[in-house]
Amino acid sequence: MKSPYLFEIDIESPAKRVVQVKLQKKVEPGIHSFSMPVWTPGSYLVRDFPKHVFNLTTELDGKKIQVRKEKKHTWLVETEETGLLTLKYSVYAHDLSVRTSYLAHDFALLNLTSILMFHNNNLEDQVRIKLLTPNQWKVSTGMNQEGVELVAPDMEEAFDSPILAGELIQAKFEVEGKPHNISIAGGRGNFSLEKIVDGLRSIVIENQGLYGSLPYERYEFLIVLSEKSGGGLEHRNSNVSMYPRLKFLPEKDSYRFFSLEAHEHFHTWLVKRIKPQAFMPYNYLEETYTRLLWVMEGVTSYYDNLIPVRANVTPVSFYLKTITEEINQYEQIPGKKLCSLEEASFNAWIGLYKPDENTPNIYMSYYLKGGIVTLLLDMYLRRLGSSMDQVMKYLWENYGKRKRGIKEDEMQNIILQATGIDVAEFFERNIRGTDDLPYELLNYVGLTLEEKKEKEKIPRLGVRAEGNKVISVLFDSPAHEAGLAPGDVIIALNGIGLENNKILDTLKRFRIGEEIEITILREGILHRVRATLEEPLAKLEVKPVTDPTEEQKNAWYSWIKQPWKEEKPSK
Ligand SMILES: [Zn+2]
């Protein structure tokens, strides 16, 4: 029997941080399961949303009936006649993040994967939501409004339509005649609304130009200002981003905001419409695995830096600084020798999303490496007369528009089909393998990767530390050889206490090649170990070549759409 999901979501007393939910559905006699997702697409971690559910009761046509829990995410109810089944439950919501739900006195962010339940694994029925909020609050969401109800054609779309409600600061613009609404919650920041509107419009136009057209009728930028945390989560016609409220000034600090928004808007195509077959559909009740997250997130990370430069929103100098930082970060992580992009993607659930003291030794982020490898892949294709832009257009026309999923091993062949270029060896080395990355490809657009000359080199021990506490011991480093362990507290080097109580501040007082005695406190007992300090890993820098050829200048322009040596954005 087809019947809509009728929800009433009550957040009229938001300061209590509890969402009151009523779900009504017409059912036939039988056993009914009601389940809540354990994760939210785009964020690959089992968050066990049902753990925040309490006070669950059930009625059939107004008469109380029994309910029992079957699994951590599923409740069972038995009915003997056809009727209107009502579930009432409460959800505690106080997690300020883009992938969960949060209630406060001035605004609410509801990610509906952590609020709604679905019946008998049925994701197809229409979802109608009556949202009760404090009187003066505004409501923004990608869902359509019909009278007092928010309506999604099915549960998947409801799950994909977060709601931002509260005392919102709002603005709008149009591209292709389609409304793009901006809603900002979380108090005042030091942003200029006009600059946000201009920047976002330019980014949307740039993404539209790449793919050919906008795939939605309306788009919502749902922005939550925070004290210091950041992040974003993509949806089909909206995104939720979180950004520190004072990081819009000085102006160079605002560039990260535009990269973040370019990233989430790019996902409107890649991952929300061009997606792995493994995500069609998502399994909301357990992990959904794919080896293609490096495409979904790595390619997006590449474009999130590039699109704002092409759109004149951020300067070339910021782009070069960012890829320099990313390459340095990548080169310092021992896990680069062990974990390929495909493995990193598959293991996201226990790797990227569950980092621990040993993660840097055996894991590599598919965002970080994926972004750098996509840059190099783009150079590889451009050198042979094609580009990643062409690959993205092909994916949109042949996969996204046709609702065809990408098979696990298909990407290499897709590039061949899109560009006529065989990338088998590139994939073997850089995507399935862990070879040193072919940075020399940057030369095609007139860039080189050089070792940065440093006035002072700090000897390397090979630990990540917070103050005097060892957080990680990097494999094959002096600290690893010496037998230091995460959790060790370093008391003294050569019998002398630490400067500012910080390990890294004190190392600069020693020589490269010097053997030192390290006094540590481990599990309440003092120990002494010896380590030989080594040369630090080279600091690298991406720079334009001094004397570019005409070919390099042309390749540069057709890639980044800015004249050679352009330093400042034009707006
Ligand atoms: Zn992303």
Side-chain angles (χ1 to χ4, degrees):
M1 180 165 72
K2 250 182 124 54
S3 74
Y5 287 100
L6 304 172
F7 282 97
E8 187 179 279
I9 298 180
D10 179 352
I11 50 169
E12 276 181 311
S13 306
K16 290 186 173 159
R17 300 178 297 278
V18 175
V19 184
Q20 305 292 356
V21 187
K22 184 163 90 178
L23 160 58
Q24 296 194 300
K25 202 169 196 313
K26 272 198 194 123
V27 296
E28 287 171 345
I31 295 178
H32 309 277
S33 70
F34 286 89
S35 307
M36 181 182 276
V38 300
W39 66 287
T40 201
S43 184
Y44 306 97
L45 176 67
V46 172
R47 290 177 197 276
D48 285 332
F49 297 128
K51 76 179 177 184
H52 297 298
V53 173
F54 61 103
N55 273 346
L56 187 138
T57 60
T58 49
E59 294 169 4
L60 187 71
D61 291 329
K63 251 177 62 193
K64 257 205 156 87
I65 52 168
Q66 285 293 319
V67 58
R68 67 185 163 90
K69 208 157 178 189
E70 189 203 22
K71 290 180 180 170
K72 64 176 180 179
H73 47 60
T74 299
W75 288 256
L76 293 181
V77 184
E78 195 170 351
T79 61
E80 279 161 9
E81 48 208 292
T82 300
L84 186 67
L85 191 62
T86 302
L87 265 77
K88 288 181 188 163
Y89 53 95
S90 307
V91 182
Y92 182 73
H94 193 236
D95 186 3
L96 185 57
S97 106
V98 297
R99 58 250 162 158
T100 52
S101 291
Y102 178 79
L103 292 189
H105 65 283
D106 57 341
F107 78 93
L109 173 64
L110 302 178
N111 268 292
L112 296 181
T113 40
S114 66
I115 304 287
L116 306 185
M117 290 192 190
F118 53 97
H119 173 233
N120 289 352
N121 284 318
N122 170 358
L123 297 172
E124 275 134 45
D125 287 349
Q126 192 195 44
V127 178
R128 306 184 73 89
I129 298 172
K130 209 160 135 194
L131 182 68
L132 308 175
T133 69
N135 276 335
Q136 71 284 15
W137 278 23
K138 296 169 187 161
V139 174
S140 292
T141 172
M143 260 181 287
N144 285 325
Q145 192 147 2
E146 287 180 14
V148 294
E149 288 178 314
L150 301 170
V151 180
D154 54 42
M155 189 58 84
E156 291 249 14
E157 197 164 313
F159 283 154
D160 193 45
S161 305
I163 299 170
L164 184 64
E167 298 158 9
L168 308 176
I169 297 168
Q170 294 181 307
K172 56 186 169 190
F173 61 88
E174 286 191 358
V175 176
E176 251 183 40
K178 294 175 175 175
H180 291 70
N181 302 317
I182 301 166
S183 300
I184 304 174
R188 281 223 68 91
N190 58 358
F191 59 86
S192 139
L193 198 53
E194 201 186 331
K195 280 206 165 139
I196 290 185
V197 170
D198 282 352
L200 295 184
R201 184 197 291 113
S202 302
I203 284 167
V204 169
I205 291 171
E206 200 61 44
N207 279 336
Q208 171 216 32
L210 197 159
Y211 285 104
S213 63
L214 297 174
Y216 47 73
E217 290 310 311
R218 167 172 65 96
Y219 192 87
E220 300 287 332
F221 291 93
L222 309 177
I223 300 167
V224 176
L225 300 180
S226 65
E227 186 186 1
K228 43 188 176 206
S229 45
L233 194 65
E234 66 277 5
H235 301 283
R236 279 170 72 86
N237 66 345
S238 66
N239 86 68
V240 180
S241 59
M242 193 171 289
Y243 190 77
R245 60 176 67 84
L246 294 179
K247 287 275 176 85
F248 292 91
L249 287 174
E251 196 182 343
K252 66 178 170 44
D253 277 0
S254 72
Y255 299 155
R256 299 223 175 266
F257 171 76
F258 290 109
S259 282
L260 170 64
E261 295 299 338
H263 183 104
E264 303 310 333
H265 189 258
F266 197 86
H267 274 317
T268 303
W269 290 270
L270 185 62
V271 93
K272 294 315 303 186
R273 289 176 174 82
I274 304 166
K275 45 169 89 176
Q277 205 172 55
F279 286 173
M280 300 170 83
Y282 299 108
N283 182 343
Y284 291 94
L285 300 182
E286 59 184 58
E287 292 87 344
T288 305
Y289 295 97
T290 175
R291 279 181 270 121
L292 289 166
L293 285 183
W294 72 269
V295 180
M296 303 301 129
E297 292 300 346
V299 172
T300 306
S301 296
Y302 168 58
Y303 277 104
D304 72 20
N305 289 324
L306 189 60
I307 289 287
V309 185
R310 286 180 174 176
N312 279 321
V313 175
T314 61
V316 167
S317 56
F318 177 70
Y319 182 80
L320 296 181
K321 188 172 155 255
T322 306
I323 56 172
T324 292
E325 280 168 11
E326 289 175 356
I327 289 172
N328 276 303
Q329 205 187 337
Y330 169 77
E331 291 297 332
Q332 308 262 346
I333 298 172
K336 70 174 181 170
K337 292 186 191 140
L338 294 176
C339 181
S340 73
L341 278 176
E342 291 200 342
E343 287 169 298
S345 301
F346 194 83
N347 284 320
W349 299 86
I350 53 168
L352 192 87
Y353 282 91
K354 282 197 175 173
D356 63 28
E357 61 187 36
N358 200 43
T359 302
N361 286 321
I362 60 171
Y363 188 78
M364 169 51 64
S365 158
Y366 50 85
Y367 281 79
L368 179 63
K369 184 176 180 182
I372 301 169
V373 165
T374 307
L375 165 66
L376 299 175
L377 178 59
D378 198 6
M379 297 300 123
Y380 187 91
L381 298 174
R382 283 174 184 274
R383 213 179 42 159
L384 297 169
S386 188
S387 68
M388 273 309 289
D389 294 354
Q390 210 162 318
V391 175
M392 299 322 294
K393 281 192 187 94
Y394 180 91
L395 275 170
W396 173 231
E397 292 300 326
N398 295 283
Y399 288 78
K401 274 190 184 172
R402 294 184 191 174
K403 298 190 169 123
R404 186 167 146 206
I406 306 174
K407 295 195 197 95
E408 287 296 285
D409 289 313
E410 206 181 5
M411 201 53 207
Q412 183 185 311
N413 191 46
I414 285 173
I415 296 177
L416 179 64
Q417 296 304 320
T419 66
I421 297 168
D422 181 359
V423 288
E425 196 190 332
F426 188 96
F427 266 57
E428 199 51 43
R429 287 173 183 275
N430 306 305
I431 285 151
R432 292 187 287 273
T434 56
D435 284 17
D436 288 344
L437 296 183
Y439 295 117
E440 64 282 358
L441 288 167
L442 292 171
N443 200 253
Y444 176 68
V445 292
L447 294 175
T448 61
L449 185 67
E450 286 175 14
E451 194 171 324
K452 203 174 170 184
K453 304 258 181 301
E454 285 183 284
K455 284 191 208 114
E456 85 171 324
K457 285 185 175 178
I458 299 171
R460 179 172 187 259
L461 180 60
V463 294
R464 287 186 179 178
E466 274 170 16
N468 63 352
K469 192 174 176 190
V470 176
I471 301 301
S472 289
V473 173
L474 301 180
F475 281 2
D476 304 323
S477 68
H480 193 212
E481 292 300 317
L484 284 180
D488 288 351
V489 175
I490 298 192
I491 305 294
L493 301 181
N494 281 352
I496 301 168
L498 301 185
E499 197 166 327
N500 305 323
N501 213 20
K502 287 180 178 163
I503 302 169
L504 301 176
D505 280 11
T506 312
L507 284 173
K508 65 180 176 218
R509 306 297 172 194
F510 296 87
R511 282 179 197 83
I512 292 165
E514 185 175 350
E515 188 185 301
I516 58 169
E517 183 191 75
I518 306 172
T519 308
I520 57 169
L521 191 60
R522 178 185 292 169
E523 286 289 320
I525 296 173
L526 281 179
H527 298 270
R528 288 188 179 85
V529 298
R530 298 191 76 79
T532 304
L533 299 176
E534 67 180 22
E535 179 97 16
L537 302 178
K539 281 253 167 64
L540 305 165
E541 190 176 15
V542 178
K543 285 165 79 169
V545 297
T546 36
D547 241 338
T549 63
E550 276 311 302
E551 198 196 348
Q552 280 173 321
K553 281 193 198 172
N554 292 338
W556 165 273
Y557 185 79
S558 85
W559 167 56
I560 207 159
K561 312 240 160 69
Q562 294 293 339
W564 181 257
K565 294 268 174 187
E566 173 73 21
E567 279 300 314
K568 291 229 163 64
S570 56
K571 62 181 165 195

